[in-house]
Amino acid sequence: MSEQTEKQKKLRVVVADDQAAVREPLAAVLGLSEDIEVVAAAADGTEVLTAVADAGPVDVVLMDLRMPVMDGTEATRRLGEEHPEVAVVVLTTFADDDSILAALSAGARGYLTKNAGRKDIVRAIRAAAAGQSVLDREVQDRLLATVRTKSPAPGGSLPEDITPREREVLTLIGQGLPNRAIAEKLFISEATVKTHINNLFAKAGIRDRADAVRRAISAGLA
């Protein structure tokens, strides 16, 4: 097998963190994994978007949240709109409810705190590239606590008039997919996705996308 073929099998990763003291060692450590190639490093969200556009195919962005110019949550949302094939794994010091829900609502597929070890980060990158979600245990616990205290649907119930398609849409929102990616998965237009979301929100009393993530988790759909 040629060296070029071996390179093509590697997961192409962009590392984003505004602190060079974190960004550079992290990129170096990840580069030691046989199946990961760090193709770019970015100091803010605008650099992430540029790197993904310029670096050729990118599989995963390892994303810090608190960055200047454009933060990680907005960069995640923009990636979902412009490059829905790119998975985002958040790596941050922040594990508060607002940060977690905002990032997942924006489309992040994984969420780790900076207490995670190299093996955990590599595992999350591989999972995200395969379309799976990986959450830090602390993040999982906070999400479950949020569902128990804030969910407007006790017991995880949903209105009986929710259609199977609306349930599918809620499931994909709960997985952090933006509208464009939902449309591609369900083979429908983005406008149709928006219609399903509007109907779903009206029927279930869902306030916003973050609330939809909570409802999906509460109902056992995500």
Side-chain angles (χ1 to χ4, degrees), residues 52 58-59 76-88 107 109 128 176-184 190:
V52 170
V58 172
D59 297 297
T76 299
R77 186 189 68 77
R78 290 278 298 275
L79 281 174
E81 294 176 349
E82 300 172 17
H83 302 279
E85 74 283 1
V86 178
V88 173
R109 195 169 290 169
L177 272 64
N179 289 357
R180 182 181 297 180
I182 293 173
E184 291 174 356
E190 202 167 343

Side-chain angles (χ1 to χ4, degrees), residues 15-28 38 40-44 47:
V15 174
D17 196 294
D18 64 326
Q19 297 182 34
V22 173
R23 182 175 67 247
E24 294 171 4
L26 182 57
V38 177
D44 60 61
E47 290 188 10

Side-chain angles (χ1 to χ4, degrees), residues 143-161:
L143 281 175
L144 288 173
T146 299
V147 166
R148 293 189 191 104
T149 58
K150 297 183 179 180
S151 174
S157 63
L158 291 170
E160 293 183 0
D161 58 345

Side-chain angles (χ1 to χ4, degrees), residues 161-176:
D161 58 345
I162 294 288
T163 67
R165 180 63 91 188
E166 289 163 357
R167 186 177 289 269
E168 285 181 307
V169 169
L170 182 59
T171 299
L172 295 175
I173 291 175
Q175 293 173 4

Side-chain angles (χ1 to χ4, degrees), residues 1-9:
M1 186 178 292
S2 70
E3 181 180 351
Q4 182 64 26
T5 302
E6 287 289 341
K7 282 186 177 181
Q8 289 175 349
K9 292 184 67 176

Side-chain angles (χ1 to χ4, degrees), residues 46-66:
T46 59
E47 290 188 10
V48 170
L49 297 176
T50 299
V52 170
D54 293 348
V58 172
D59 297 297
V60 179
V61 173
L62 191 62
M63 185 84 77
D64 189 20
L65 288 185
R66 305 292 171 87

